[in-house]
Amino acid sequence: RAPTVTTALPAEASPDGNTTLTLSGYGFGMADYSPVTSVGMTSCKSTVWTSDSALQCVTAAGTGVVDIRVQVDNQQGPGTEYAYLGPRELSLVPGTRRTAGGDVLTIEGLGFGPAAPSSLAAFVGATACTSTTWVSPTVIECVVPAGTGVALDVQLHLISYRRTMAASLSYDGPTITSLDPAFAATGGAASLVLFGSNFGSACAGCAISVHVGASECASVQWTSATKVACLLLPGVGAGLTVMASVDGSSNAAAQSFSYNAPRVTSLTPASVSEHGGPLVTVNGYNFGMAAPPS
């Protein structure tokens, strides 16, 4: 009978090699005919005959799901499916995650294989990395695609293996470098333009909001990765914090915004007795569209 492996223990081998496999089956010979065992396309470093139904072999490095075959006295048997341990103990090295993409994301772990695999891809959310590169048995690098969002899954596809690092990557929040204008009338309805970066490279459909102090702008218009504009609501106050959020990732501007200070243009009546008397009406603008809290 042709030499045939029916079971192999342990159930998975280290991709680094040097795993001792105990093979059970039949047709290995009633004596030691110097059998040769192959795991995938690579021969074991050594094969030791025990009996017609048992062998031991020491694996070479490898990856993926492969066939184990035994050759005895120039007769080779059928393949039996076997797997190397896949990627495991995965983690991401902290780094910049700009919404324009282009940053290198380093994935560390075990089981990436002794050499570059035949098939390798990484994904941020549902978007493939611009490129994915095997660096070593413990390091893979991907170039982050353009995108936005927080707590996105990172997936690794290595040959037939699929691994997911759930909610592991967030793109950097918007960086606001300047505001135009820095002052506006209390009546609102004016456009406040935010300049900076990380507003998203293609964000017409992104969830973008801008807050001035405690008030959210009436609407926000995305123009580019470096510019958004918002329609101010009526308000009052000075030194207000401007906060922008793009798909859940937020940052505050270094520069503050102020509504224009109240201006008095006239008093009615223009003068009163030194003893007081009538109610004086103060006329002007920028007193606010509603009574202030204080």
Side-chain angles (χ1 to χ4, degrees), residues 182-224:
F183 299 85
T186 58
S191 178
L192 173 64
V193 180
L194 288 63
F195 296 96
S197 60
N198 284 330
F199 294 130
S201 59
C203 232
C206 295
I208 304 178
S209 64
V210 176
H211 282 76
V212 178
S215 298
E216 184 175 356
C217 286
S219 62
V220 178
Q221 180 181 9
W222 178 88
T223 303
S224 70

Side-chain angles (χ1 to χ4, degrees), residues 4 11 64 89 116 129 169 180 199 221 228 233 240 258 260 266 286-287:
T4 302
E89 299 182 28
C129 290
L169 184 141
D180 185 26
F199 294 130
Q221 180 181 9
V228 297
L233 290 175
L240 301 175
S258 298
N260 291 335
S266 65
N286 287 329
F287 296 152

Side-chain angles (χ1 to χ4, degrees), residues 18-272:
N18 296 318
T19 299
T20 299
L21 300 183
T22 298
L23 308 178
S24 299
Y26 53 85
F28 300 153
M30 300 306 293
D32 186 358
Y33 291 98
S34 300
V36 176
T37 304
S38 298
V39 181
M41 301 299 293
T42 307
S43 296
C44 286
K45 294 181 177 180
S46 64
T47 299
V48 177
W49 177 88
T50 303
S51 70
D52 183 58
S53 60
L55 296 174
Q56 282 192 333
C57 87
V58 177
T59 63
T63 54
V65 178
V66 295
D67 284 337
I68 296 179
R69 298 178 187 272
V70 175
Q71 179 175 313
V72 177
D73 199 21
N74 294 322
Q75 183 182 26
Q76 187 177 68
T80 299
E81 189 174 276
Y82 188 75
Y84 285 94
L85 284 168
R88 59 199 186 279
E89 299 182 28
L90 304 183
S91 63
L92 303 180
V93 175
T96 302
R97 314 284 189 247
R98 294 171 296 176
T99 60
D103 296 309
V104 175
L105 171 65
T106 301
I107 304 171
E108 294 183 335
L110 299 174
F112 298 156
S118 58
S119 175
L120 177 65
F123 297 79
V124 176
T127 306
C129 290
T130 305
S131 64
T132 305
T133 305
W134 180 92
V135 178
S136 75
T138 59
V139 176
I140 287 173
E141 292 181 344
C142 96
V143 177
V144 176
T148 57
V150 298
L152 301 174
D153 292 348
V154 174
Q155 299 180 56
L156 179 64
H157 295 184
L158 190 151
I159 314 177
S160 60
Y161 299 107
R162 302 291 183 265
R163 298 292 187 265
T164 298
M165 290 166 278
S168 58
L169 184 141
S170 296
Y171 282 93
D172 295 342
T175 298
I176 307 167
T177 55
S178 64
L179 306 173
D180 185 26
F183 299 85
T186 58
S191 178
L192 173 64
V193 180
L194 288 63
F195 296 96
S197 60
N198 284 330
F199 294 130
S201 59
C203 232
C206 295
I208 304 178
S209 64
V210 176
H211 282 76
V212 178
S215 298
E216 184 175 356
C217 286
S219 62
V220 178
Q221 180 181 9
W222 178 88
T223 303
S224 70
T226 60
K227 179 182 176 182
V228 297
C230 86
L231 185 64
L232 289 167
L233 290 175
V236 294
L240 301 175
T241 298
V242 176
M243 178 80 71
S245 176
V246 178
D247 281 345
S249 189
S250 304
N251 263 331
Q255 178 184 359
S256 63
F257 173 83
S258 298
Y259 285 97
N260 291 335
R263 297 294 298 271
V264 177
T265 57
S266 65
L267 301 175
T268 303
S271 62
V272 296

